[in-house]
């Protein structure tokens, strides 16, 4: 069984997410959110170093999607929406389940960036 040594405080995660959203509003005002793929940035925003992605919608709760390390992430991260995935084609439906309001924004961004049909 895993135990966390420390957990990033929710207040710090909220502050970091607000900075990302301010950046998004300033530089990409049309975007519905941002998809974070870099492990150091995932760690910065979530407090866990899992293998996956983080969807940060303009409004609402972020979604941490992990290929590996879900159990550890549940211990280390204060985020509410943590889901496991096997294939990148599963990302849009999984995010939509966690937060139905982001489905349209994420689907469009994901298709433009990754050319997923």
């Amino acid at each position: 069984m895993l135990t966390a040594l420390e957990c990033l405080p929710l207040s710090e995660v909220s502050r970091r997410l607000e900075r990302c959203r301010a950046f998004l509003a300033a530089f990409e005002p049309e975007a519905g959110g941002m998809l974070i793929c870099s492990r150091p940035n995932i760690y910065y925003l979530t407090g866990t170093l899992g293998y996956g992605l983080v969807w940060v919608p303009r409004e609402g709760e972020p979604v941490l999607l992990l290929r590996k390390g879900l159990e550890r992430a549940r211990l280390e991260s204060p985020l509410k929406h943590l889901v496991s995935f096997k294939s990148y084609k599963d990302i849009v439906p999984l995010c939509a389940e966690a937060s139905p309001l982001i489905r349209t924004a994420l689907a469009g961004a994901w298709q433009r960036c990754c050319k997923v049909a």
Side-chain angles (χ1 to χ4, degrees):
M1 184 164 127
L2 296 173
T3 57
L5 296 176
E6 287 186 37
C7 185
L8 188 62
L10 181 58
S11 60
E12 180 63 20
V13 169
S14 297
R15 186 184 69 77
R16 293 174 182 186
L17 290 168
E18 286 310 312
R19 288 181 64 197
C20 284
R21 289 179 173 129
F23 177 85
L24 186 65
F27 294 100
E28 291 293 335
E30 300 292 318
M34 66 176 75
L35 190 63
I36 311 297
C37 305
S38 151
R39 286 189 75 207
N41 290 327
I42 291 170
Y43 180 74
Y44 177 77
L45 290 173
T46 68
T48 190
L49 197 57
Y51 289 95
L53 307 163
V54 178
W55 169 248
V56 180
R58 179 176 294 275
E59 295 178 5
E61 296 290 327
V63 181
L64 176 57
L65 301 118
L66 295 166
R67 291 188 83 172
K68 295 180 182 179
L70 184 62
E71 183 180 338
R72 179 177 176 166
R74 285 191 175 127
L75 294 172
E76 295 176 339
S77 179
L79 295 183
K80 294 177 190 173
H81 302 293
L82 295 102
V83 292
S84 179
F85 74 99
K86 293 183 183 193
S87 171
Y88 284 94
K89 70 180 179 181
D90 299 333
I91 290 172
V92 172
L94 288 171
C95 285
E97 286 175 22
S99 180
L101 299 176
I102 67 173
R103 182 182 183 106
T104 303
L106 181 59
W110 188 248
Q111 288 174 357
R112 282 190 304 277
C113 292
C114 303
K115 297 180 177 43
V116 172

